[in-house]
Amino acid sequence: MTRKDIYGRSPAGPNGGGPVPASGGSLARLRRTFSTKLQRREWDVDEKLLHTPPMTRPNTIAVVSPKGGVGKTTVSYLLGNLLASELHMRVVALDANPDFGTLGSLAPDAHRSQRSLADLIAEHERIDSPAQIHPYVSRLPTGLHVLAAPVHAEVMAQLTPGLYSRLLDFLERFYEVLILDLGTGITDPLAQFAVERADHTLVITTPEWITAAGVLGALRYLQLDEGTLVLNQAQMHGKAGNRDVIEDSFQRQAIATRATIPYDKNLRLMLDSGTYELSALRRSTRVPVKELGAEVAAKFV
Ligand SMILES: Nc1ncnc2c1ncn2[C@@H]1O[C@H](COP(=O)(O)OP(=O)(O)OP(=O)(O)O)[C@@H](O)[C@H]1O
Ligand SMILES: [Mg+2]
């Protein structure tokens, strides 16, 4: 089954309409008076993104969670696209999920590479220029490069932290930001390696008590120096009344930054149909995504 079977040849994009016009700040005072709080947040975050301090070396970000299906891949993808499109950084997102990761499938069909990170590991010694990496990665319109997991689980199972370490050393020669989309769990050797190697770790949770309680335990276990907690509403919840309580208990954790991404069915549809665009997100989702990117970028070393 291909994506075309479900979405046809040229998906128009779930929003139907054109991109949401970018907001800027030229008639500043007047516009601010009549603007909504969300608009003002967007102007503020755009300003912050514009003034992102320069980095001094490649930065690695690990995206982890002790729970499955909470949005690790989604957040990796949103963040990677944002850093590439808004900050023009050379970013590669790697599918480091040992269990049939889905990151590679998010790439639009026309841009998707059939090769995987296992191919690049096997052949990297023959590569010494950025152009030679192109066949191995899906190169997205935003500028983000995605390195997919191998299709065969037995190949993935052979990828040890040592091999990943060599791959990351190699990729650091060509990219400024490396994003590792991990599988579920934080105690397995690959996740441990990723968190230790990363300059910054994003821990993803959803608002359910069971998930959040597990994530709190994980945070105590990880003892992160640089971490961001992302509360991602991966599922539509009617009255999941415990969100404030959960946010409250996370406030008490010694984790530097927090971000909350709302549930957005258009986002889900865009991801599934390979038509994701930041500008096509509704502002209530777009602003938190930009804020997450700005927070992470502000911490680059
Ligand atoms: N904020 C959101 N709004 C709507 N849908 C979302 C949101 N975040 C994630 N989803 C959807 O939830 C599902 C699970 O997300 P995702 O694959 O990113 O989770 P994961 O943590 O990577 O899962 P796994 O543990 O299997 O790797 C996907 O269908 C995704 O599109
Ligand atoms: Mg995933």
Side-chain angles (χ1 to χ4, degrees), residues 36-222:
T36 64
K37 199 172 162 206
L38 199 57
Q39 277 170 334
R40 289 197 291 277
R41 265 173 68 188
E42 184 155 38
W43 293 333
D44 289 345
V45 73
D46 284 344
E47 193 67 19
K48 202 168 168 190
L49 285 166
L50 209 59
H51 295 101
T52 300
M55 55 173 61
T56 56
R57 60 169 174 79
N59 278 250
T60 299
I61 301 164
V63 182
V64 300
S65 181
K67 298 290 171 185
V70 293
K72 298 178 289 298
T73 301
T74 302
V75 169
S76 302
Y77 193 73
L78 297 180
L79 180 65
N81 277 297
L82 186 106
L83 297 175
S85 68
E86 306 304 292
L87 298 179
H88 309 290
M89 291 174 170
R90 285 187 301 248
V91 189
V92 63
L94 286 76
D95 193 333
N97 185 344
D99 202 12
F100 299 102
T102 52
L103 183 69
S105 323
L106 295 180
D109 297 6
H111 300 274
R112 186 142 19 102
S113 164
Q114 296 307 317
R115 300 206 206 169
S116 76
L117 51 83
D119 299 314
L120 190 56
I121 289 175
E123 292 157 28
H124 78 276
E125 275 166 6
R126 277 181 258 147
I127 295 174
D128 48 27
S129 72
Q132 287 174 294
I133 297 186
H134 284 188
Y136 298 87
V137 291
S138 301
R139 293 179 299 126
L140 273 47
T142 55
L144 173 68
H145 288 189
V146 173
L147 197 40
V151 187
H152 301 291
E154 59 277 16
V155 179
M156 196 70 196
Q158 288 164 7
L159 300 179
T160 58
L163 286 175
Y164 267 99
S165 177
R166 256 189 278 161
L167 177 64
L168 297 183
D169 290 343
F170 166 77
L171 290 170
E172 282 185 348
R173 288 164 40 202
F174 302 100
Y175 293 97
E176 291 156 333
V177 183
L178 284 63
I179 299 176
L180 306 177
D181 170 27
L182 276 299
T184 300
I186 51 158
T187 55
D188 64 286
L190 191 51
Q192 286 285 313
F193 157 77
V195 171
E196 266 163 43
R197 166 105 187 194
D199 301 287
H200 197 106
T201 297
L202 303 190
V203 184
I204 317 293
T205 185
T206 53
E208 296 86 10
W209 178 79
I210 290 181
T211 305
V215 171
L216 278 173
L219 284 175
R220 283 191 287 270
Y221 174 83
L222 286 172

Side-chain angles (χ1 to χ4, degrees), residues 21-41:
S23 38
S26 52
L27 293 165
R29 201 173 305 152
L30 197 61
R31 287 175 73 187
R32 276 196 104 80
T33 314
F34 293 103
S35 59
T36 64
K37 199 172 162 206
L38 199 57
Q39 277 170 334
R40 289 197 291 277
R41 265 173 68 188

Side-chain angles (χ1 to χ4, degrees), residues 230-270:
V230 181
L231 183 60
N232 179 44
Q233 189 112 29
Q235 307 264 334
M236 171 67 111
H237 290 283
K239 283 194 209 152
N242 47 20
R243 190 164 138 184
D244 288 347
V245 181
I246 288 167
E247 279 187 347
D248 230 43
S249 30
F250 281 122
Q251 296 291 335
R252 292 194 286 273
Q253 291 302 304
I255 189 157
T257 328
R258 284 169 202 86
T260 303
I261 311 276
Y263 177 83
D264 182 336
K265 71 174 182 350
N266 284 335
L267 166 64
R268 198 181 194 109
L269 196 53
M270 277 193 249

